[in-house]
Amino acid sequence: MLDFLSRNIRLLGFVAIAVSLIAWGIDLSGLVYECVYCRAQRTAIGIAGILMILPDPRRWWIRYAAAAICFFGASVAADQVFLVVRAIDAGRAFGMLNLVMAAGALFALVGQALIVFTPKPLE
């Protein structure tokens, strides 16, 4: 599976950009609540996607930038997950969809960082 993901790094980059643009479109249309945590996560996913489609995404400086951006976004996502869990524990009404989306962003960002750091597959 990891070999497949590593071979299709550019396709995954385009998918990440599409996810980011769709999420930004939904946000800017006013269909969802304006959340700075969500905005930071979707921006990090999009920028990491752009880095994944560069001609050689495994150069050291691209890896460094991708790691910094992905782990910033992952840190924001982890903070949001804990804020939602804290709100649930306090008995406040909070949407479970928010928890699922934050966890999904966390997994996506960590996955993007790992894919950029996988070795280039032998051809």
Side-chain angles (χ1 to χ4, degrees):
M1 181 68 168
L2 190 57
D3 188 47
F4 171 78
L5 296 174
S6 183
R7 287 186 193 279
N8 295 304
I9 189 169
R10 286 188 179 77
L11 174 66
L12 294 171
F14 283 117
V15 169
I17 292 168
V19 166
S20 176
L21 290 175
I22 290 168
W24 267 110
I26 292 171
D27 182 12
L28 295 176
S29 69
L31 293 174
V32 294
Y33 174 74
E34 294 178 6
C35 171
V36 293
Y37 290 98
C38 302
R39 287 180 172 183
Q41 294 163 32
R42 71 177 64 108
T43 301
I45 289 171
I47 293 172
I50 291 170
L51 293 174
M52 291 169 71
I53 65 171
L54 290 176
D56 188 6
R58 290 184 176 89
R59 298 191 108 166
W60 72 268
W61 59 274
I62 295 175
R63 286 181 175 184
Y64 179 80
I69 290 166
C70 287
F71 290 124
F72 165 75
S75 172
V76 172
D79 288 344
Q80 187 177 14
V81 166
F82 284 117
L83 286 173
V84 172
V85 169
R86 187 176 71 179
I88 291 170
D89 284 344
R92 293 191 304 258
F94 214 94
M96 288 302 290
L97 181 61
N98 196 358
L99 179 66
V100 171
M101 296 300 285
L106 177 63
F107 287 120
L109 286 159
V110 172
Q112 282 178 298
L114 290 175
I115 289 170
V116 169
F117 276 90
T118 57
K120 195 174 211 175
L122 299 174
E123 306 211 5

